[in-house]
Amino acid sequence: MDFISSILGTTTELSPLGFAIRTILVGFLLWAEGRVLPHRSGGQFAGYDFAFFWMMGGVTASPLFDPKLNFLNTITIIVVIYLMHYLISYLAVKNRSFAKLVIGQPIVLVSGGKVVRKNMARALLPLELLLSELRVSDAPNLNEVEAAVMETSGHISVLKKADVQPATPTELNLPSPPGGLPTLLINDGVMVKENLCEIGHDESWLKNELGKNGVTQPEDVYVALIDPAGTFHYSVKTES
Amino acid sequence: MMLEAFFNGGPTLPFWALAIRAIILYIALIIATRLMQHRQVGILTGHNYLVAAGIVSLAAIRMVNPESSLVSGLVIVFAYAGVNVLLSYLDIKFPKLVDRKPVILMKDGRLNKKDMMDAHVTLDNLMGQIRLKGAHNLSEIDSLVLEPTGKISVVKKPSFLPVNRHQMNLPPKFVDLPTVLVYDGEVQRDNLNRLKLDLKWLKDKLQQQGIADSSQVFFAVLEPSGSLFIST
């Protein structure tokens, strides 16, 4: 009984075994949090996502820092931080002025091909860092940059001048096939029925399509996809 | 007495003992990250990033606090890595049980307001993220997906993608990954054998470039087009 309370609660001494059990309990927290974490926190679109991202990880692991830290406090803090992030995100999508306040606004660093010195200072960015970020974005030559913006996520987006952008089929009067996301038809041997339905086909069509490629059992297929142009792709499980 | 304090923690430890403890924990952390595989380094899912933030702070706290037990610290680092690997493994077996689903923010050129609101992505956030992807105009985009990692992926409409070889009616071209033949002066025999080439072939090629011996080569890569990149 004492052992259990020392694992869950505050104690002065805890054996390595006790910490190992605490780790497994933290594992459950990781799993539960992983299910409900907001997508945007991982994307770190703004400073408050960044703070949430790192704080949440630290707090979740905190029962492992010191025997004195207990699970009840940890879970309390996790819930509080989660709710705070939820509240801020909720208000941000509902109210743009609030969003500007907590998220900040993107800063234009290069406009019309010219570096805006005043904004560089506002973004606390030395020239060297701008050049470095441009290189990382495949735009090493300022001549080719029309605009560059410091986004709220801390990365710099680049718009190249029209003349150095790759030509598109429209510009060359070439036909372009239908595009967009492909549809997953088989996931690890299991047919995804709702996706088949969505594109207006059924299982017998898929079996027939596989048969044309010499595959008799859908169970042998690891992944099968069809793109909006109608091109079929599959990989069988045994393929090395 | 000293050893006891070293492993289980004590009120005071000399600075060099703390230094050695830090080195041990640091090495343990490196081994643990290797065990957790690349998906941990790439932070692909929710539990990956929680572990990333957690495992470093817990190792750091154990490093600076002489009263904490080193043995517990090591047990925790590896148990934590183990839990993480277990969750990643469960993600393979039961994807619906572990990870979140991607959210479609735009489909067929139409923004999905409800899902954007549910995922708490503001329009300004979205515009910023697509600019980072080099897709500045929404009308050029077919689909936008908010991935479980939180990254937004962009699928452009084909008419706004760069022209490809197929559209230009160019003849088929062979592409494959390049093969390393010499790495810092050392000939990669396995790779040569796989391509059914031999040392003599390599020697001839090097001689054509005026290089007498492969040991002088810093890096040599055979590309699928047949050209050999050599840097001495």
Side-chain angles (χ1 to χ4, degrees):
Chain A
M1 201 57 225
D2 270 1
F3 188 62
I4 295 172
S5 68
S6 75
I7 284 170
L8 293 175
T10 302
T11 177
T12 43
E13 287 283 334
L14 192 60
S15 65
L17 176 69
F19 272 118
I21 297 170
R22 276 193 179 190
T23 313
I24 293 163
L25 294 177
V26 168
F28 280 105
L29 286 182
L30 286 176
W31 170 76
E33 285 172 41
R35 299 285 297 154
V36 297
L37 277 171
H39 282 73
R40 60 168 297 145
S41 59
Q44 305 194 21
F45 299 158
Y48 83 96
D49 292 317
F50 172 84
F52 174 82
F53 181 102
W54 292 104
M55 193 149 50
M56 204 64 166
V59 171
T60 307
S62 65
L64 313 175
F65 293 169
D66 197 302
K68 289 194 206 82
L69 303 174
N70 68 46
F71 271 93
L72 185 65
N73 289 353
T74 304
I75 293 169
T76 311
I77 302 299
I78 288 173
V79 171
V80 168
I81 294 179
Y82 184 88
L83 289 179
M84 280 304 291
H85 186 270
Y86 192 96
L87 181 71
I88 294 173
S89 306
Y90 180 80
L91 292 175
V93 286
K94 291 287 174 199
N95 184 321
R96 199 177 181 195
S97 325
F98 180 78
K100 282 181 180 165
L101 190 71
V102 288
I103 296 176
Q105 278 176 280
I107 302 172
V108 177
L109 301 177
V110 179
S111 173
K114 297 281 176 224
V115 184
V116 187
R117 188 158 178 261
K118 195 178 88 212
N119 287 353
M120 290 285 289
R122 257 181 66 207
L124 302 177
L125 205 71
L127 186 62
E128 285 291 338
L129 259 181
L130 174 69
L131 295 175
S132 151
E133 283 285 317
L134 290 179
R135 287 193 295 271
V136 172
S137 308
D138 292 333
N141 196 342
L142 256 177
N143 274 334
E144 299 182 352
V145 176
E146 175 69 35
V149 180
M150 178 81 167
E151 304 293 351
T152 56
S153 57
H155 297 286
I156 295 175
S157 69
V158 180
L159 174 65
K160 287 202 186 181
K161 287 193 173 146
D163 286 351
V164 293
Q165 285 186 14
T168 61
T170 327
E171 290 165 327
L172 294 170
N173 283 321
L174 290 170
S176 43
L181 289 167
T183 310
L184 184 62
L185 300 177
I186 296 181
N187 181 356
D188 203 1
V190 183
M191 290 194 261
V192 190
K193 282 175 195 149
E194 61 266 30
N195 287 357
L196 269 169
C197 252
E198 210 168 283
I199 57 164
H201 288 299
D202 57 10
E203 292 174 33
S204 60
W205 169 85
L206 179 55
K207 281 182 186 153
N208 186 30
E209 200 69 20
L210 288 168
K212 277 191 228 161
N213 291 293
V215 180
T216 48
Q217 299 288 335
E219 295 77 44
D220 294 339
V221 178
Y222 184 53
V223 58
L225 294 164
I226 190 160
D227 70 14
T231 319
F232 188 71
H233 168 93
Y234 73 98
S235 301
V236 291
K237 286 181 181 174
T238 49
E239 228 149 22
S240 60
Chain B
M1 189 57 222
M2 177 64 210
L3 268 181
E4 160 79 18
F6 182 80
F7 284 111
N8 297 328
T12 51
L13 272 178
F15 75 93
W16 54 265
L18 264 186
I20 297 171
R21 281 167 53 118
I23 292 168
I24 295 172
L25 278 167
Y26 185 55
I27 293 171
L29 211 52
I30 292 172
I31 298 171
T33 25
R34 286 291 292 125
L35 292 175
M36 292 187 284
Q37 295 295 347
H38 301 321
R39 71 172 276 171
Q40 176 58 37
V41 185
I43 305 190
L44 291 192
T45 46
H47 68 266
N48 285 140
Y49 84 64
L50 292 171
V51 167
I55 204 166
V56 288
S57 35
L58 74 86
I61 282 176
R62 299 249 160 205
M63 280 181 193
V64 293
N65 182 2
E67 286 186 45
S68 67
S69 153
L70 175 65
V71 179
S72 291
L74 292 172
V75 168
I76 291 166
V77 165
F78 286 111
Y80 213 39
V83 164
N84 186 30
V85 171
L86 179 71
L87 285 173
S88 298
Y89 181 75
L90 288 175
D91 194 15
I92 300 176
K93 286 280 160 196
F94 316 100
K96 291 200 177 97
L97 212 72
V98 177
D99 201 15
R100 295 150 299 166
K101 282 190 155 192
V103 181
I104 312 277
L105 300 181
M106 182 193 246
K107 200 180 177 196
D108 299 328
R110 256 187 73 91
L111 287 170
N112 188 341
K113 182 177 176 186
K114 189 182 168 296
D115 284 343
M116 274 188 64
M117 291 292 166
D118 286 350
H120 293 149
V121 178
T122 70
L123 286 160
D124 289 320
N125 288 153
L126 185 80
M127 290 303 285
Q129 292 298 307
I130 63 173
R131 280 197 296 265
L132 285 168
K133 292 293 229 168
H136 289 72
N137 301 313
L138 280 168
S139 61
E140 296 177 3
I141 300 173
D142 180 273
S143 319
L144 290 170
V145 184
L146 178 58
E147 305 291 353
T149 41
K151 301 277 179 288
I152 291 181
S153 44
V154 176
V155 182
K156 281 196 178 184
K157 289 178 184 160
S159 47
F160 293 102
L161 286 170
V163 176
N164 57 35
R165 291 177 60 87
H166 176 71
Q167 288 164 326
M168 301 283 282
N169 279 319
L170 291 170
K173 187 175 147 191
F174 180 66
V175 285
D176 199 358
L177 298 173
T179 311
V180 177
L181 297 183
V182 185
Y183 187 102
D184 198 7
E186 242 173 79
V187 177
Q188 308 293 298
R189 283 164 191 273
D190 290 352
N191 288 351
L192 268 179
N193 290 340
R194 200 176 309 135
L195 297 171
K196 309 214 163 37
L197 300 169
D198 53 18
L199 281 172
K200 192 179 164 304
W201 175 88
L202 181 64
K203 213 174 158 152
D204 288 347
K205 279 278 178 190
L206 292 178
Q207 259 160 9
Q208 281 170 24
Q209 308 249 350
I211 299 163
D213 193 74
S214 58
S215 62
Q216 296 165 359
V217 178
F218 181 46
F219 201 39
V221 184
L222 184 63
E223 289 161 11
S225 62
S227 58
L228 184 64
F229 169 88
I230 302 173
S231 190
T232 48

